[in-house]
């Protein structure tokens, strides 16, 4: 029996498979303001999202739209320079299509990054947060609908979404580089409005440390497929209501731009170590 979601994924894969220069080990998703990371690498190939039939293309300023293939410290990687968000109006199956496609390309590890608002009062703008778990139940699950048996089971376990070994690597790399890194729970809300102060309070009461509009749904899809997952949030701001200042997309972008140099080091050195697991 055919399934339109799986058929679309296969069609996307078939239409690009001849352009993939190597089998990537790591799939890296670059969040807001972090997309420039790809420019510093020795790029071995690119595929524009708009050239892939039916592929979702980001409408958000600051998000580019292409896969980049490069070796990061020798480790073959595919990077998503730009992602799509649920609030852009795409169905959840399209939002996670790129992550699924990178698994079909051969990636074993999914490294998720984003800009996020801190909801934990111990956090400050400019902090990094290693994601230890997530709350994704405020957005529809990408697994709703007939199960894609080719990808994974109907009822996947979610006890260990963020891989302990990968977290050890990122934690120890941050320590070696002298980068302070928090460790916490990421909450995905739909956006696109930033949260009200009481929504921020809700996230905190639920055990969240950072809030954003991406990532967790991709982790649900990747966990379903048995990928090893890790994630870093760049805390670009404290969430609404925690300070008197209003929040803007520009502030988020500027803050993540400032974090980019340290972020690049942390990601590159962590991926180097991921090459040997
Ligand atoms: N809320 C939601 N998403 C975000 C934020 C925020 O405060 N900052 C960056 N992305």
């Amino acid at each position: 029996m055919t399934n339109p979601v799986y058929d679309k994924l296969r069609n996307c894969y078939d239409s690009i498979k001849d352009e993939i220069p190597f089998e990537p080990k790591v799939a890296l998703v670059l969040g807001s303001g972090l997309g420039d990371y790809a420019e510093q690498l020795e790029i071995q190939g690119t595929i524009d999202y708009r050239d892939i039939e039916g592929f979702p293309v980001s409408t958000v300023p600051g998000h580019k739209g292409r896969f980049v293939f490069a070796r990061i410290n020798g480790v073959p990687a595919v990077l998503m320079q730009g992602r799509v968000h649920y609030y852009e109006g795409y169905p959840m199956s399209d939002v996670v299509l790129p992550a699924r496609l990178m698994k079909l390309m051969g990636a074993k590890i999914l490294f998720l990054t984003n800009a996020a608002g801190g909801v934990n009062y111990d956090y400050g703008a400019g902090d990094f947060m290693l994601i230890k778990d997530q709350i994704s139940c405020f957005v529809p699950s990408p697994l709703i609908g007939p199960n894609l048996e080719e990808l994974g089971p109907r009822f996947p376990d979610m006890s260990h979404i963020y891989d302990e070994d990968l977290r050890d690597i990122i934690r120890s790399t941050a320590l070696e580089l002298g980068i302070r890194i928090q460790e916490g729970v990421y909450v995905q809300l739909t956006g696109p409005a930033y949260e009200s102060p009481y929504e921020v309070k809700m996230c905190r009461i639920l055990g969240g440390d950072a809030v954003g509009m991406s990532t967790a749904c991709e982790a649900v899809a990747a966990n379903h497929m048995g990928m090893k997952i890790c994630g870093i949030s760049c805390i670009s701001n404290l969430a609404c209501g925690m300070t008197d200042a209003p929040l803007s997309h520009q502030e988020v972008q500027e803050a993540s731009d400032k974090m980019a140099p340290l972020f690049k080091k942390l990601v590159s050195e962590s991926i180097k170590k991921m090459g040997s697991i």
Side-chain angles (χ1 to χ4, degrees):
M1 210 177 67
T2 61
N3 175 299
V5 173
Y6 189 69
D7 289 349
K8 180 168 182 176
L9 176 65
R10 281 307 319 181
N11 285 341
C12 285
Y13 179 71
D14 289 341
S15 73
I16 60 165
K17 66 176 188 299
D18 295 336
E19 294 171 60
I20 301 170
F22 52 66
E23 179 174 298
K25 174 163 188 180
V26 175
L28 173 63
V29 183
L30 298 167
S32 287
L34 307 171
D36 281 355
Y37 174 79
E39 316 292 350
Q40 69 170 45
L41 304 170
E42 212 174 297
I43 295 177
Q44 283 180 253
T46 61
I47 302 172
D48 283 349
Y49 300 159
R50 58 168 188 267
D51 294 339
I52 310 173
E53 204 191 308
F55 201 83
V57 177
S58 177
T59 58
V60 188
H63 278 259
K64 295 204 175 120
R66 59 179 189 165
F67 288 114
V68 172
F69 296 86
R71 286 178 205 277
I72 301 177
N73 282 320
V75 181
V78 54
L79 289 76
M80 275 175 66
Q81 212 175 7
R83 57 148 67 90
V84 291
H85 304 79
Y86 185 57
Y87 63 74
E88 292 178 74
Y90 290 106
M92 219 21 135
S93 56
D94 275 356
V95 176
V96 302
L97 188 150
R100 286 174 166 160
L101 193 55
M102 294 191 292
K103 168 74 161 67
L104 292 195
M105 293 178 195
K108 309 280 182 292
I109 294 173
L110 180 65
F111 196 143
L112 295 163
T113 72
N114 57 50
V119 305
N120 183 327
Y121 273 109
D122 292 337
Y123 291 6
D127 276 351
F128 293 100
M129 185 190 87
L130 179 57
I131 305 176
K132 69 174 179 194
D133 202 356
Q134 66 180 29
I135 296 174
S136 63
C137 55
F138 294 111
V139 295
S141 168
L143 308 184
I144 289 174
N147 184 48
L148 307 181
E149 291 293 333
E150 298 86 347
L151 302 184
R154 172 77 292 187
F155 300 110
D157 176 58
M158 295 270 275
S159 310
H160 303 280
I161 306 174
Y162 292 90
D163 185 80
E164 193 56 56
D165 295 334
L166 298 180
R167 279 160 58 198
D168 281 348
I169 287 179
I170 296 172
R171 217 183 281 119
S172 63
T173 306
L175 195 68
E176 282 158 28
L177 294 172
I179 297 173
R180 191 167 81 113
I181 190 160
Q182 309 276 9
E183 196 155 344
V185 175
Y186 178 90
V187 185
Q188 180 176 2
L189 299 183
T190 62
Y194 291 118
E195 303 68 38
S196 72
Y198 270 77
E199 284 163 349
V200 171
K201 186 172 176 182
M202 171 193 77
C203 292
R204 194 180 307 116
I205 290 170
L206 292 180
D209 296 290
V211 62
M213 308 173 192
S214 66
T215 302
C217 57
E218 294 155 316
V220 169
N223 178 73
H224 176 238
M225 298 185 290
M227 294 181 88
K228 282 180 180 287
I229 305 166
C230 60
I232 299 176
S233 292
C234 296
I235 306 297
S236 53
N237 56 280
L238 283 182
C240 292
M242 294 173 70
T243 67
D244 289 337
L247 180 59
S248 68
H249 183 58
Q250 194 187 342
E251 177 188 339
V252 168
Q253 271 184 310
E254 284 171 6
S256 28
D257 282 349
K258 269 200 219 152
M259 297 175 74
L262 273 188
F263 169 81
K264 288 173 188 169
K265 274 194 204 160
L266 180 56
V267 170
S268 298
E269 290 306 307
S270 298
I271 289 180
K272 186 180 187 176
K273 295 185 194 163
M274 290 174 191
S276 56
I277 65 166

